[in-house]
Amino acid sequence: MIKKLFITLSAAIMSTFFMVTQFTLAPTAFAYPHPGGLYSQQLIDEVKINAVSSNPWKIASDTLIAKAKWLQPEMPSAVATFYVPAYYSDPAAHTAASAILQDDVKAAYVSAVAYVLTGNASFGNKAIDILNNWAYINTDIGGDDSSLVMSYAGIGFIQTAELMLNYSGWGAADKAKFKEWVSVVFLNKVANPNKLRTNNWGTWGLFDAISAYRFLDDSPNVLSSITLLKSKIDAQIALDGSIPEEVNRGVGGLRYSYFYLAPLTAAAQIALEAEGVDLFNWISPQGKTIKSALDFLLYYMQNPVKWPYYSNPTLPTATEAWPYNLFEAMSDYYPDPTFAAFASTRRPIMETGHHYAWTFPTLMKSGRSLVSETFDGMPIGAAPTGWIVTNSADSSAVITSISGNEDKSLAISDTNTAGASLVHKLFPTQSNIVTAQWSFMEQTVFPYAKFGLRSGATFATEIYTAGSNLVYRDASGTYITIQSFATNTWYTIKIVANPMTKTYDIYVNGLLKIANAPFTNPVSSLNSIAFYGGWAPTGMVYINNVGVMK
């Protein structure tokens, strides 16, 4: 009896242990951090601090809060079947039908951002009321332009939900219903059918899909979306940066190019934040890049008379945010000061009402930029404002305009074989990765002009012009050729410097030339970018568009 009892108890204990062990070892459900995607909690916290007194965040925040208050009376107006007529068949009916969705998205998204920045529950409740209304009522998407409008406007609901997911005022049943709407309506009837198209419908569909899958914590489908995004970059962007499907669309070629790139770049941000895949700096198998497409668009936005596809292309009106919102956002990803300079004329930028990719680019700036200099606002003949200039006899560093237009640059001149000019710009000390970019040009060969990042007075990275070659100096003092260069030609150099590994990568005109070059001097932090005329040789070097980013 005792033996039988012992066996019975042992079996019970083992059974209990097995069940507990099974429960303990069972894998937990995967979840991305929320909020996330476009705007992480870390970024939101940074913006809260900056919005107190620092511009452009403060003025952008004030503008947003005022709009959120103005939108408080907005009543949700979801429909069971969302239908929008084709624009080119009936523009007025298209606009009216679109507004049913667009007005609700605007009120929800603006209110959600206002809530996460202020904690004001009235903003949070407004956002949730609208999300719930569409989740419970909308069950279908009609034909014609219905899925396109839901794609480029309805994505704002996903971004709203991402911000509000942890809000205590959003009940579990309502959250579940909204997630059901995302899966059954938004993904199945909008995002997934559209994402395979090769024009802007496709990039909006892909942005929709990767955002929705991230919101639903579906990592496998986020990863498959990243694969599709790579294929779009490789197949749909031309080597010159144009978007063939969009540039040939008559008078709207510039706007449609923007309308393709806005969701493409927003999808790239989701890929970076969710899975650590950096497509902003990725070079496709055929040599295509996002940056080349942005450069192409910016050039023709600034030079529309040169647009080769159609005379007098449509440009934004004085009140429209496109494509300023795109370049404001992209100034957080590339150390290219021309992006921020272009966008700054429209700050604070907020794109609400029509489509929702880069909606709050001024407000939600990350503050990664350390130096952003085009020299364009400085008087010709003067030393560069905000830079420290040290000249020896017969050397100088002044603002000039080579072609006599508004595009100014810094000219470093040296006619003294025993002297030089050093120009440097300080930034807060950085011990993590720093990316720097600048353009240079020599009209005649100026041997041993030097460019680099410094720690105090010590150059960590040293790149030189040596005859007709670009070279870098390694830790042993050896000069190693990067590539040749031609006079009277601008070259853009980018370096990605890592004080932790004391190495840096060198890019020329967007192409990686040297990986893991050793620091010339093994410093542990960086705090300035510097340009130096050769000590013994004489000559002149022009510097332009200097950017440094952490």
Side-chain angles (χ1 to χ4, degrees), residues 184-206:
V184 174
V185 178
F186 192 74
L187 276 168
N188 289 348
K189 299 184 178 185
V190 178
N192 287 334
N194 286 347
K195 70 184 182 184
L196 300 178
R197 298 184 64 157
T198 57
N199 61 356
N200 64 74
W201 285 56
T203 54
W204 279 106
L206 180 53

Side-chain angles (χ1 to χ4, degrees), residues 48-80:
K48 285 181 182 178
I49 295 171
N50 291 333
V52 173
S53 59
S54 300
N55 279 324
W57 294 275
K58 185 180 187 309
I59 188 172
S61 176
D62 292 346
T63 302
L64 173 93
I65 301 305
K67 177 165 279 194
K69 291 178 179 178
W70 181 75
L71 289 168
Q72 278 286 289
E74 176 74 21
M75 298 301 294
S77 50
V79 290

Side-chain angles (χ1 to χ4, degrees), residues 441-464:
M441 189 266 284
E442 293 181 357
Q443 292 179 320
T444 58
V445 172
F446 181 16
Y448 294 101
K450 180 166 67 172
F451 324 122
L453 292 170
R454 302 200 311 171
S455 178
T458 302
F459 273 89
T461 67
E462 295 186 7
I463 295 177
Y464 293 82

Side-chain angles (χ1 to χ4, degrees), residues 41 58 129 316 348 390 434 496:
Q41 187 61 54
K58 185 180 187 309
D129 285 347
T390 305
V434 170
V496 181

Side-chain angles (χ1 to χ4, degrees), residues 370-371 373 385-388 423-427 527-530:
L370 300 171
V371 176
E373 185 64 81
T385 305
W387 292 70
I388 300 170
V423 185
H424 70 282
K425 176 88 169 182
L426 294 170
F427 53 79
N527 73 340
S528 72
I529 185 168

Side-chain angles (χ1 to χ4, degrees), residues 106-329:
K106 175 169 61 178
Y109 200 4
V110 169
S111 297
V113 175
Y115 167 72
V116 297
L117 293 182
T118 67
N120 186 327
S122 66
F123 296 142
N125 292 336
K126 173 56 62 177
I128 295 306
D129 285 347
I130 296 171
L131 293 183
N132 289 344
N133 182 248
W134 281 84
Y136 281 96
I137 293 176
N138 178 234
T139 58
D140 202 7
I141 305 297
D144 291 331
D145 283 351
S146 306
S147 69
L148 175 62
V149 176
M150 179 58 77
S151 178
Y152 64 64
I155 180 62
F157 282 155
I158 309 300
Q159 305 308 332
T160 298
E162 185 68 61
L163 293 169
M164 301 303 300
L165 192 58
N166 297 324
Y167 179 49
S168 61
W170 198 8
D174 292 338
K175 286 182 189 178
K177 187 63 178 177
F178 182 79
K179 289 182 178 182
E180 178 186 323
W181 177 84
V182 172
S183 296
V184 174
V185 178
F186 192 74
L187 276 168
N188 289 348
K189 299 184 178 185
V190 178
N192 287 334
N194 286 347
K195 70 184 182 184
L196 300 178
R197 298 184 64 157
T198 57
N199 61 356
N200 64 74
W201 285 56
T203 54
W204 279 106
L206 180 53
F207 176 41
D208 297 341
I210 195 171
S211 298
Y213 285 128
R214 191 213 176 280
F215 172 71
L216 296 173
D217 297 316
D218 186 344
S219 180
N221 273 311
V222 169
L223 290 170
S224 68
S225 298
I226 293 171
T227 299
L228 179 58
L229 180 52
K230 287 182 174 181
S231 72
K232 285 185 179 292
I233 294 169
D234 193 47
Q236 296 169 15
I237 297 175
L239 284 171
D240 66 354
S242 64
I243 314 295
E245 285 266 6
E246 309 297 350
V247 295
N248 291 307
R249 297 186 64 176
V251 70
L254 280 172
R255 177 172 170 79
Y256 281 119
S257 294
Y258 153 78
F259 208 57
Y260 176 99
L261 286 171
L264 181 86
T265 51
Q269 159 57 22
I270 306 293
L272 179 62
E273 184 274 343
E275 298 292 343
V277 178
D278 182 5
L279 297 181
F280 291 102
N281 296 295
W282 181 66
I283 301 174
S284 80
Q286 295 189 76
K288 318 293 186 60
T289 66
I290 290 176
K291 180 63 161 58
S292 69
L294 293 167
D295 289 341
F296 180 91
L297 177 60
L298 181 59
Y299 176 80
Y300 286 109
M301 286 301 305
Q302 295 176 319
N303 300 276
V305 296
K306 297 181 180 180
W307 182 245
Y309 303 96
Y310 201 88
S311 298
N312 301 314
T314 298
L315 297 173
T317 66
T319 59
E320 289 180 314
W322 77 273
Y324 299 92
N325 61 325
L326 173 61
F327 287 102
E328 179 81 303

Side-chain angles (χ1 to χ4, degrees), residues 348-410:
I349 302 169
M350 189 184 306
E351 174 61 273
T352 59
H354 184 264
H355 58 278
Y356 293 86
W358 298 109
T359 307
F360 311 102
T362 302
L363 175 62
M364 304 306 286
K365 287 184 71 64
S366 70
R368 291 178 59 209
S369 178
L370 300 171
V371 176
S372 183
E373 185 64 81
T374 64
F375 303 108
D376 289 340
M378 302 181 188
I380 291 176
T385 305
W387 292 70
I388 300 170
V389 179
T390 305
N391 293 323
S392 61
D394 300 318
S395 68
S396 66
V398 297
I399 304 302
T400 189
S401 176
I402 299 173
S403 57
N405 58 25
E406 295 180 358
D407 185 15
K408 298 174 185 176
S409 57
L410 172 66

